[in-house]
Amino acid sequence: MSTGHSHAIPENKNETSLWIALILTSTFLVAETVAGIVLNSLALLADAAHMFTDAAALAIALAAVRIARRPADARRTYGYHRFEILAAAFNALLLFGVAIYILYEAYQRFRTPGDVQTTGMLVVATLGLIINIISMRLLSSGKDSSLNMKGAYLEVWSDMLGSLGVIAAAVVIRFTGWVWVDTLVAAGIGLWVLPRTWILLKESLNILLEGTPQGLSLEEVTTAMRSIPGVTDVHDLHVWVLTSGKNSLTAHVVHAADVAPPDIIEKIKVLVAKRFEVFHTTIQCEPVACEHSADGCNFIERRTSSSERAE
């Protein structure tokens, strides 16, 4: 049995951006909440609720980044990188809760509409929009390399659209007197958030369930590995995501008798790294395919059966 390991964990440079975005968001959250209550604006309170989830998401993302730095130990042999995925999943659930709450409040407000002070609403929403744009710029560089950062970025992005909606509502109400627009915008914010939240939650759950990385086909990986000279078969293949940017692969490879396992292992490592962006591999080489079932290869049963036949 032979194994080959290759590790590549992208360096996380997002902590400073998270800190700045968290301070800006938390400071404005208090002001917007007070303003929403004083001005009697549900759209403004809905935006403040988003601000709250933004602050929570940024704090969770920041904590996950720090925890993920802990080195692997005897109890966590892969380290603590999956904390980032747990943070992303939690943020998705938080967004779901906020969206449902906003829709419920919108339903209540449609039944009993109230007066809205548009001038204060417009000023506060504009300030919120500025905060959101700054936070988005800070977080945008890390959103494509980390699901944790993507969750925080989506939180801020949805809140930015909420601020735009509140501004639009304030302008419409000011010139038409249609106070129901405030409630309509709040409901629109809730409905806009739900599908994007589901995408984030689905991606997080796929990683937590050790699913195959998105966009990667096991059939293509198997075919590519079998194309390597000396490889006669590939079975018990598993590819999963430990955390954002860290894909892992294990496989049993049957090889020709005249081929050295180290040569095959090296070729497989290079192949899956360049073609499929899998940088952590464990390959078991076998001159003869092991007996295997849905539960994987079972050497104990094979050795037991051989001993029984020998007796």
Side-chain angles (χ1 to χ4, degrees):
M1 184 188 302
S2 302
T3 58
H5 298 277
S6 177
H7 307 266
I9 304 173
E11 184 180 356
N12 199 316
K13 300 179 180 179
N14 301 311
E15 186 173 353
T16 301
S17 297
L18 285 169
W19 269 116
I20 297 173
L22 177 60
I23 293 171
L24 290 172
T25 302
S26 300
T27 301
F28 189 76
L29 165 63
V30 178
E32 189 171 36
T33 302
V34 174
I37 295 172
V38 172
L39 302 174
N40 195 34
S41 169
L42 179 60
L44 205 56
L45 287 174
D47 195 45
H50 272 173
M51 275 286 188
F52 173 75
T53 61
D54 290 349
L58 292 167
I60 293 168
L62 187 59
V65 167
R66 298 178 73 89
I67 292 174
R69 289 178 182 165
R70 295 180 181 179
D73 53 39
R75 290 181 58 84
R76 303 287 185 270
T77 56
Y78 273 116
Y80 294 79
H81 302 290
R82 193 156 282 188
F83 263 94
E84 292 191 272
I85 307 306
L86 289 173
F90 182 83
N91 285 338
L93 293 174
L94 195 61
L95 266 173
F96 262 122
V98 169
I100 292 172
Y101 171 76
I102 291 172
L103 291 173
Y104 172 77
E105 286 296 323
Y107 168 74
Q108 295 293 333
R109 186 64 68 92
F110 269 124
R111 297 178 60 186
T112 55
D115 295 330
V116 179
Q117 299 181 32
T118 56
T119 301
M121 179 179 170
L122 183 61
V123 171
V124 175
T126 302
L127 291 174
L129 177 62
I130 294 172
I131 296 295
N132 292 143
I133 291 175
I134 294 173
S135 297
M136 282 181 61
R137 290 295 298 268
L138 290 169
L139 300 175
S140 61
S141 61
K143 67 181 178 65
D144 295 326
S145 61
S146 168
L147 200 59
N148 181 39
M149 290 293 292
K150 181 179 180 180
Y153 178 84
L154 281 177
E155 288 271 7
V156 177
W157 190 41
S158 66
D159 195 47
M160 183 202 70
L161 292 183
S163 296
L164 287 172
V166 174
I167 292 172
V171 172
V172 172
I173 294 171
R174 186 175 183 84
F175 289 100
T176 65
W178 298 342
V179 294
W180 53 266
V181 173
D182 176 74
T183 306
L184 183 65
V185 168
I189 294 172
L191 291 174
W192 185 90
V193 167
L194 284 175
R196 287 151 186 80
T197 302
W198 169 246
I199 293 173
L200 176 62
L201 181 61
K202 185 171 66 173
E203 292 179 1
S204 302
L205 290 178
N206 182 62
I207 293 178
L208 292 175
L209 293 174
E210 297 187 340
T212 303
Q214 288 192 333
L216 187 147
S217 168
L218 282 182
E219 292 183 1
E220 291 183 11
V221 176
T222 301
T223 301
M225 292 173 64
R226 285 175 176 166
S227 68
I228 295 176
V231 174
T232 60
D233 193 20
V234 176
H235 61 272
D236 204 23
L237 172 66
H238 303 275
V239 185
W240 71 100
V241 184
L242 180 62
T243 188
S244 302
K246 190 178 192 308
N247 299 334
S248 299
L249 177 150
T250 63
H252 288 203
V253 176
V254 184
H255 61 90
D258 59 343
V259 177
D263 295 337
I264 291 179
I265 292 173
E266 186 61 29
K267 291 178 181 178
I268 291 176
K269 286 169 58 179
V270 172
L271 170 71
V272 298
K274 290 184 175 181
R275 184 168 173 181
F276 301 104
E277 296 185 349
V278 178
F279 301 102
H280 182 282
T281 59
T282 302
I283 308 298
Q284 175 172 299
C285 290
E286 303 168 345
V288 179
C290 64
E291 298 175 6
H292 60 280
S293 62
D295 296 326
C297 293
N298 195 325
F299 294 97
I300 297 178
E301 287 186 1
R302 185 170 70 174
R303 286 197 293 267
T304 303
S305 300
S306 299
S307 300
E308 290 175 352
R309 286 195 297 269
E311 292 176 358

